[in-house]
Each structure stands twice: as C-alpha cells, then as structure tokens.
C-alpha cells in the first residue's frame, strides 16, 4: 500500500531511498526505517543502445580499446616485475640493453 506523502512527512518518519543502477535499468525502493517496511518500490527499464545496422552495442569499440590498454599495461607490469626479481637474484645482467633483449 502506498502512503500519501503528507502523512509520511507529518509523522517525521526516517526514510531511506535505495537505488540500484544497472546498465539498462534503475531500481529503487523507499523504506520506512522506524517501522521496518517498504513504502514503495519500482524499476525503470530502458533499451540497450545498439548500432542500427549491426545490432552491436554502441560502446563495443570503447570496451575493446579499454581491454587492449589494460592487457598492455598488465603485460608491461609483469615484465617489470620479472626483471626486478631476476635482477635482485643476480640472474639478469644489470645492463639495460642486454636485459631488454633477454626479456623481449
């Protein structure tokens, strides 16, 4: 049952608005914290943006580029970590040019 807003405000209830933000929807709930009950809740669903011709998501190119950047960054980090471990244990020459050739 939905209470009129004026009754809620006049009684000085402590209300909590919960939101759930999804990729193609927004869910919400209004909760009366003093009486432990849900006053009202709902969801708004909207269509996923797609390319008209291919029906592929509009953000697919961005997502692929981001994935590629992350992969390169992780690979670089792994090489740096390996190089530091090998150098610390004196298993890799300290000379930058030689160590670069060995690791690549």
């Amino acid at each position: 049952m939905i209470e009129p807003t004026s009754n809620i405000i006049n009684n000085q209830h402590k209300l909590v608005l919960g939101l759930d933000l999804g990729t193609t929807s927004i869910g919400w709930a209004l909760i009366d914290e003093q009486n432990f009950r849900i006053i009202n809740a709902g969801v708004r669903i909207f269509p996923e943006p797609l390319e008209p011709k291919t029906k592929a998501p509009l953000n697919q190119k961005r997502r692929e580029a981001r994935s590629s950047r992350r992969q390169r960054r992780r690979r670089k980090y792994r090489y740096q970590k390996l190089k530091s471990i090998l150098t610390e244990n004196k298993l890799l020459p300290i000379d930058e040019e030689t160590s670069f050739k060995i690791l690549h």
Side-chain angles (χ1 to χ4, degrees), residues 87-99:
T87 305
E88 285 173 13
N89 293 297
K90 297 180 175 59
L91 297 171
L92 187 66
I94 297 175
D95 178 23
E96 285 292 322
E97 188 174 321
T98 309
S99 63

Side-chain angles (χ1 to χ4, degrees), residues 12-86:
Q12 299 297 318
H13 287 237
K14 184 173 181 186
L15 302 177
V16 176
L17 175 63
L19 298 173
D20 178 22
L21 305 175
T23 55
T24 59
S25 65
I26 298 175
W28 61 274
L30 186 62
I31 300 168
D32 180 355
E33 203 171 60
Q34 291 175 337
N35 296 325
F36 303 105
R37 66 187 193 96
I38 298 172
I39 296 172
N40 202 351
V43 65
R44 171 77 172 132
I45 300 172
F46 39 91
E48 184 178 8
L50 300 174
E51 290 281 350
K53 293 181 182 178
T54 62
K55 302 296 182 200
L58 286 176
N59 64 345
Q60 185 172 0
K61 290 178 185 176
R62 253 191 357 257
R63 186 174 47 236
E64 289 170 354
R66 184 173 51 245
S67 175
S68 179
R69 286 191 308 269
R70 287 176 179 166
Q71 185 178 13
R72 283 192 308 266
R73 184 179 61 233
R74 289 172 183 153
R75 184 179 299 131
K76 181 180 177 183
Y77 173 76
R78 285 194 308 266
Y79 277 123
Q80 289 172 343
K81 190 72 175 167
L82 176 62
K83 182 180 173 185
S84 74
I85 291 170
L86 293 175

